Amino acid sequence: MSLRILLMRFGIAAAGGALLAYAATTPAAGAEQEDPRKSEQIVDGEVVARAGLVLRSAPTRGGSVIRVAHYGEIIKIYCRAEGQSVDGSRQWYLLVDGTWAWGSARYIAPFKAPRWCDA
């Protein structure tokens, strides 16, 4: 197995672990908590893929398909991370749309630069 593939798998596993840790420390439904979509850290962006953008469960083309965002749709970006290259761009955005799906930054035009996921 190449070092590149090993590092990519490690990165995906680390991102998944971080999401699980977040879920484990988040109060139960109905408990007083802040909605992440209302956070100042959320950045709006627009889908610029003419045929629509496939949103995935991981920042790779191999991630499970969650849904398709249509051209011109305004989406909410929680953070950005490095992932599999898509047409020369390795950045992916974690979207807050109720599913926490990943979309390639190559096909999303953010209104301002989102923060890095590990920040």
Side-chain angles (χ1 to χ4, degrees):
M1 179 180 308
S2 74
L3 179 60
R4 179 178 164 201
I5 292 172
L6 183 64
L7 289 174
M8 186 181 340
R9 287 184 178 173
F10 176 75
I12 292 168
L19 287 175
L20 286 175
Y22 173 78
T25 59
T26 303
E32 193 70 31
Q33 64 181 347
E34 182 179 331
D35 184 347
R37 291 170 288 186
K38 295 179 182 177
S39 171
E40 294 176 8
Q41 297 176 349
I42 304 299
V43 173
D44 286 338
E46 182 177 3
V47 175
V48 295
R50 293 276 180 191
L53 177 61
V54 176
L55 302 180
R56 300 187 176 273
S57 62
T60 69
R61 290 181 183 182
S64 300
V65 174
I66 303 295
R67 73 177 186 92
V68 175
H70 300 287
Y71 174 76
E73 183 177 334
I74 303 300
I75 45 88
K76 304 283 185 189
I77 303 168
Y78 183 70
C79 62
R80 62 182 162 162
E82 292 285 322
Q84 183 178 21
S85 180
V86 175
D87 292 337
S89 174
R90 294 189 56 83
Q91 287 191 23
W92 288 68
Y93 296 141
L94 180 58
L95 308 179
V96 182
D97 67 349
T99 60
W100 293 91
W102 291 91
S104 172
R106 170 67 178 88
Y107 296 106
I108 298 172
F111 297 158
K112 69 178 188 175
R115 67 186 179 89
W116 288 97
C117 291
D118 59 351

